[in-house]
Amino acid sequence: MGARARQQGGSAIQATSTGGHPSLHTVKPLGRTLFNRVFAAIYALSILALLFYHAKTLFYSPALVSFSVTLALLISDLVLAFFWVSTQTFRMFPVCRKQFPENLKKIMERSDFPALDVFICTADPYKEPPISVVNTALSVMAYDYPTEKISVYVSDDGGSALTLFAFMEAAKFATHWLPFCKKNNILERSPEAYFESNHTCTSEAVNIKIMYESMKVKVERVLERGEVDDENITSGQEREAFNKWADSFTRQDHPAVIQVLLDASKDRDIAGYSMPNLIYVSREKNKASPHHFKAGALNALLRVSGCMTNAPIILTLDCDSCSNDPETPLRAMCYLSDPETRPQLAYVQFPQIFRGINKSDIYNAEFKRLYRINVMGFDGLSGPNYLGTGCFFQRRAFYGSPSILASPEIPELAPDYIVDKPIQSQPVLALAHQVASCNYENRSYWGSKIGFRYGSLSEDYHTGFRMQCEGWKSIFCDPERPAFLGDVPITLNDALNQQKRWSIGLLEVGLSKYSPATFGVKEIGLLMGLAYAQSAFWAIWSIPITTYAFLPQLALLNKVYIFPKVSEPWFFLYAFIFLGAYGQDFVDFILAGGSIQRWWSDQRFWIIRGISSYVFGSVEFFLKFLGISSFGFNVTSKVVDNEQSKRYGQGIFEFGVHSPMFVTLTMAAIINLISFSQGLVEVFRGNNWEGLFVQMFISGFAVVNSWPIYEAIAWRKDRGKMPIKTSIIATLLAESGTTKASTGGGPPPLHTVKPMGITIFNRMFATVYALAILALFYHHTKRLLCSPTIVSFSLNLALSLSDFVLTFMWINTQTYRMCPVYRKQFPENVEKVMKRSDFPALDVFICTADPYKEPPIGVVNTALSVMAYDYPTEKISVYVSDDGGSALTLFSFMEAAKFSTHWLPFCKKNKILERSPEAYFESNHPCTSETGKIEVMYKSMKAKVEHALEKGEVDDQQHEIFNKWTDNFTRQDHPAVIQVLLDASKDKDIAGNLMPNLIYVSRGKCKALPHHFKAGALNALLRVSSNMTNAPIILTLDCDFCSNDPRTLLRAMCYLCDPAIRSTLAYVQFPQIYRGINKNDIYCGEFKRLFVINTMGMDGVEGPNYVGTGCFFHRRSFFGSPSSLISPEIPELSPDHVVDKPIQSQSVLALAHQVADCNYENQTDWGSKIGFRYGSLVEDYYTGFRLQCEGWKSILCNPERPAFFGHVPINFADALNQQKRWSIGLLEVAFSKHSPATFGVRSKGILMGLGYAQLAFWAIWSIPITTYAFLPQLALLNQVSIFPKVSESWFFLYAFLFLGAYGQDCLDFVLAGGSVQRWWNDQRFWHIRGVTCYLFGSIEFFLKFLGISASGFTVTSKAVDAEQSKRYEQGIFEFGVHSPMFVTLTMAAIINLISFSQGLGEVFRGNDLEGLFMQMFISGFAVVNCWPIYEAIALRNDNGKMPIKTTIMATLLAGALYMAASFIFKRQDATGHFMASLIHNSRAESKSTSNHHLRACALN
């Protein structure tokens, strides 16, 4: 089979030689090349000028010290100049390539594809976990490439039976994994990567995952035990393999082990297709023989594979570099199969790209310059260097130059050898063992002229360089989708040690006879030689970096100036050189797809390397060079520690262990901090800062870069902080003579507040806009006084009144724009200022009223989400108020109580964020077996609850509590029901931890007594909870508001536990944020102005209003002002009462039932001075307002991750009815004795008073909106102009007022995170509310006010209809049912459409409509906003269209309104003509009398 593969490979390469085939690849130069060359010329001149300056300073040095300092700076700048020159080679000819793998199949058959040998190297199963190596192998075995042509060789240089066992298990799993990948066209063919991704959860995927997890557990268990037990050996063949690990077998001394695990000629997957070859190789080792580290292992694989398969193409991979694109070999073949590039092409190099890098890439693991920028520059010359992994070689490239074959010692190893025997045949295996022996390479060319080259720890760099010196070329292939993804070191020590090893290896080449600076320049030219030299001499970066890290600072400490003054011309040379180098590096980085944060980390880590790994690498190399010491190859650990991984993810540097490299790093940080501080002192003293500026800048720049070190020394308490030993040694070595800087007294901050940047603009604009409003009222007054008829007077009066209301609302809105603030919390600091055992207890109030409008499973999810807070569970008590008195709701919570004993420990164990089960299982959650079990339990509970709801009764009536639901028990008339479902003193979860309290409460009701809607329910909970737990903190939640962040309570505690503000803080309000809002938010469910913009404005004054949910209260705030406690009628209800009895004790339950009775509040202060306040349907607004009037303050907490998520009405009628209820409730406050406009201004000042008044008078928006929705249009239909002409100056005033108001509103909206589309829908829905819910809410309120009718509390439905939900998601308005509010809306739409159409008709007739332009604009603007209504009337056929009844009624009423208006305007015309005639006659008579008088005078 190997012979066939070789022959097929040859014929495949020939197939590309004929012309006319589609292109396989393209190459083009990068556009910035010209700029690079021009800038290089300018920068080179500046370097020459700098060196001239140094030479001049050196020549005139007056003393040995100044001479030494200048010489050190000169040497440093010469090294920097050398690196700058060598770096320019990458900027002269950078290119970008593109491949077309789809064309490969057009020019060659799959059967003609060349065979591929894959080399994967591992060395230590404890530093390179076998399961990771297995994933790498599986990912390439599953390539979209003929499997029988793939052979994977795994080199185990640690000689570990554990690794062999892992691959035996992998071979079995591969028979399922490969067909699964290809059948489902999976891209991530590493199982670990695939199952961690958002993969499709099909039954097949679940089965495969179970198989993978089973294999993984087996492998990890064996690794943990450190040996392969008999129970894990399943066949005699396996036992025979493991018998080789005798007592004398060690990782440094053992015979060769070669085991064929899969044979492509025999083994099949479960679908019947051939499997790839999979061969385990552990070469022979002997302590007496050199093994040449990784290069030796790769050469052993090269020889073993030459005997067994001898594929013409070889792919080398690190053990953790998994394939990320199954088409990668096809991309490589686009070059390797091209007859134009193939003869001299040694390899195709893919970039090293890594998974798991944190956001800022703190350790510069991305190496964008090394792996992207530089190689693109290399690629424009003779090709990139070999990077050690992700590289496809032509086997021929390892055997001499393109023109001269270096024949190996035996013909079976020649690159053109045809393998004609099975890989498991005795001769093949015997020869494979022979060539894998430790003595085989003695007196051969292996490592010098053949194979991977010896002589450097950086065998990849050395091998690629030597190949190019022999005449080979290479190509860089960088597709959009990364071909491979590797792992990065997540500790600083590992990262620095890895780069120290690279530095040593590169110096071994740089200072050898094959040095790129000499041999390289001679063999491959100046540019390629210098390009390789740039990497080879990496370690000498340590000279300038160390010099600039210490010398200027020490000079500054001794007040010695070593740089030009700011006023000298040479200063600008230094400035240009610094900014030019950093600027060009920044541009390169950003253009290569980097971010500013990552660029900053890149330059910082370059400095860190310069005084750590580069310094120690250089020292270690020269010690070896002098024969004083030797060094070995230290494998970089790929094992991940969870705690370290968490810190790495947060962007925190990991020190943790003592290291000499950390000592130099800390020394530099300390010296720079002290020198910068002393420099600042000198500046403040008025000393010569001009001479100090450059040194202070360097010190300050170093201080900024050293921030993670200061943090690790002084602030951090975790295990990754700087070891004390390191800090002490560094401090002593620095010889600073000063003590460590103080970290500052007092506890860490819990929160911060800062004003919004737009405040100044808001205040300036408000001044200008106020002047414009005054001008408008002057215009209205003038027109009123000059009105010739009663009709025109009435029109002007209506417009004046509308504009007065708009002005009133505009003034109120400005209160939110005067002092808006932004707050930030630090919940991680709460535990630093108080122990968890000292956290205050929390009572949670959840209200529900109707199980059919508010499905119990939704309420259950809300309760479970807060029960699972990251907070001591025994301190949480959840009270559920069921104001519908439904047994179905109680049954739901009984089931929830059982489920919660599993859910809470599951959430905390797995650190889940979405702790509402419904939200979690709808998210892309990990599909583990534990998750599957919990999901089954949840769905079972949900099914039970929904089944009971569907039946309308609880099947299991055996529980004693359900006996209370007798025939006399109705939702309007029933006794109090209080049931303790979970008791924190007794009940525990499955992990043995205490559960929260969970109490069901249905207060007593009687038809004869008022129950005060939701406020009454909350007060009942306030009393019941006072008696049972009396927690000092209370959280109120709507029944559909689930927690979205388990740390929300800690965020609230940042304010509630701050002694500086606690005494007057009533509540911490979180914004209402909703899930399920459609893309454009057609019903303005987001309410961004109400819940975010306005509340941020109020927060800058004395705090936001209470919005009914997501609010943490101090219980004390419900009992009088901060300075005066109002004692309740019994001491057990006092906020300072200490509950000393169990919540299920008879006395506690008896009192709880007593205070929940419907008669309890008679003749008490509840609802007036104590608790939630009565007198309005909007108890939230009213209660918050009254609390603030008593002297309490509040705070808005708006974290990045929403604290709570609620549901919005998805039905248009529901949305309008909800807001009609709000309008009525707000008017009840506005026209009460506690009106914000009077009582509020007097109690809280004008800003807070007007801020609350803006909401209280919401409903009067209906006056201007309704006026402008009908009046200008009716006037337009009758050709009556009521606004200024376009040519008049007053027109521009109207234009400014309109654009200014809308523009500022749009700006507010967008700055608050909204989109333009959502802003448009927000303003449209404001118009809709004005002619519907605001209008009908006002009418209903005044009818109630006059005693004609009464209003009730209608619960907003949270039940979802699938068809309505679908239309809502599509952004289609839902009408469907007839509603009086739809009639006025449709009337306005019809009248605006007709008036706009008639106006257009007049324009087309050529009439002058200059005076009617504004009316046409208003009509047109309304028509655009009314498009969903026209669509619902005429274009839709679904169930959500406008009812015909509504359309007919609206049309008739619109016609009637038009006729009435026409009659009035015609009367106005008649009256107008009559008045005009009288005026004309009067003027004529006056004129005649005057003429007679003149004539009489003349005669006289």
Side-chain angles (χ1 to χ4, degrees), residues 506-516 536-537 621-622 625:
L506 291 166
L507 274 179
E508 287 176 317
V509 182
L511 298 178
S512 70
K513 66 177 181 179
Y514 295 111
S515 173
F537 293 101
F621 169 77
F622 284 108
F625 187 77

Side-chain angles (χ1 to χ4, degrees), residues 1173-1212:
R1173 305 308 156 90
Y1174 302 154
S1176 171
L1177 289 177
V1178 284
E1179 80 296 327
D1180 47 1
Y1181 168 88
Y1182 189 39
T1183 299
F1185 169 63
R1186 289 286 301 279
L1187 289 178
Q1188 293 203 328
C1189 287
E1190 289 170 3
W1192 293 99
K1193 298 184 186 300
S1194 59
I1195 278 174
L1196 175 70
C1197 184
N1198 186 14
E1200 286 186 20
R1201 181 178 178 87
F1204 303 96
F1205 269 133
H1207 292 288
V1208 290
I1210 63 167
N1211 179 292
F1212 192 26

Side-chain angles (χ1 to χ4, degrees), residues 721-904:
K721 68 178 182 178
M722 186 72 75
I724 295 173
K725 178 182 176 181
T726 307
S727 301
I728 292 171
I729 294 172
T731 304
L732 292 173
L733 289 173
E735 296 181 355
S736 62
T738 61
T739 57
K740 188 172 67 172
S742 172
T743 59
L750 294 174
H751 56 89
T752 58
V753 60
K754 64 178 182 178
M756 303 287 283
I758 199 170
T759 305
I760 295 174
F761 166 78
N762 285 343
R763 294 175 182 178
M764 291 174 63
F765 185 78
T767 305
V768 176
Y769 202 85
L771 294 173
I773 289 173
L774 290 174
L776 176 68
F777 279 106
Y778 168 76
H779 175 67
H780 278 316
T781 305
K782 185 180 173 185
R783 292 197 63 171
L784 271 172
L785 294 174
C786 297
S787 298
T789 65
I790 190 67
V791 174
S792 63
F793 180 84
S794 301
L795 286 173
N796 287 322
L797 185 62
L799 292 175
S800 298
L801 180 62
S802 297
D803 288 347
F804 177 79
V805 174
L806 288 173
T807 300
F808 172 72
M809 298 304 272
W810 177 82
I811 291 170
N812 293 342
T813 303
Q814 297 318 297
T815 60
Y816 309 129
R817 291 172 172 153
M818 292 300 101
C819 314
V821 295
Y822 171 74
R823 296 182 186 271
K824 190 175 182 181
Q825 313 80 42
F826 305 100
E828 64 277 8
N829 290 343
V830 173
E831 292 190 51
K832 296 176 184 176
V833 299
M834 63 192 303
K835 297 177 182 176
R836 282 180 71 85
S837 58
D838 295 333
F839 285 3
L842 171 72
D843 287 346
V844 183
F845 295 173
I846 302 172
C847 293
T848 184
D850 187 331
Y852 293 97
K853 287 188 174 182
E854 297 171 334
I857 196 66
V859 192
V860 160
N861 270 275
T862 298
L864 288 169
S865 69
V866 291
M867 289 166 70
Y869 268 149
D870 282 344
Y871 203 77
T873 48
E874 69 277 7
K875 290 179 178 283
I876 298 176
S877 302
V878 177
Y879 293 84
V880 180
S881 168
D882 177 16
D883 230 29
S886 171
L888 303 173
T889 303
L890 175 57
F891 172 74
S892 302
F893 274 89
M894 286 178 165
E895 293 299 313
K898 301 170 192 172
F899 173 68
S900 65
T901 60
H902 297 263
W903 176 247
L904 268 62

